[in-house]
Amino acid sequence: MPTPVRHPHRKPKTFGRTAIAAGVAALGLGGALLAAWLRRAPANPAEHAAPDLAPARPHPGPADRAPEAFRPDPTAVPTRAEYESLRPATLPVT
């Protein structure tokens, strides 16, 4: 089959390719703008700053104790279910 001969003064028809490329570029830009807009969504009001986790705060030493709310009760008696949940996982003996 012979290749089609183009007239020397006629420009190739590339409007379709240009339109597709412009559409893809517009979709990409729209997606980037949507991602940026969603990323700046307001923070959850239930969350709060944790000053004890700030990078500038020094690490606790061996003499420092946990806050009272995070200390376990030394007089609490564990239930049977708690004992069972702390049991090490072992393979069955065959």
Side-chain angles (χ1 to χ4, degrees):
M1 174 181 251
T3 54
V5 178
R6 202 171 46 154
H7 192 274
H9 300 294
R10 188 178 287 176
K11 293 182 181 178
K13 296 179 182 180
T14 60
F15 177 75
R17 291 181 194 160
T18 306
I20 290 172
V24 169
L27 282 175
L29 180 63
L33 289 174
L34 177 65
W37 183 73
L38 289 176
R39 200 170 254 207
R40 69 169 191 91
N44 186 353
E47 295 178 0
H48 61 279
D52 55 336
L53 299 177
R57 187 178 171 125
H59 291 283
D64 296 327
R65 293 190 66 192
E68 184 70 36
F70 292 102
R71 294 182 197 159
D73 182 10
T75 62
V77 178
T79 64
R80 183 74 180 152
E82 290 172 333
Y83 271 123
E84 188 65 28
S85 68
L86 296 173
R87 196 177 90 195
T90 59
L91 296 174
V93 179
T94 57

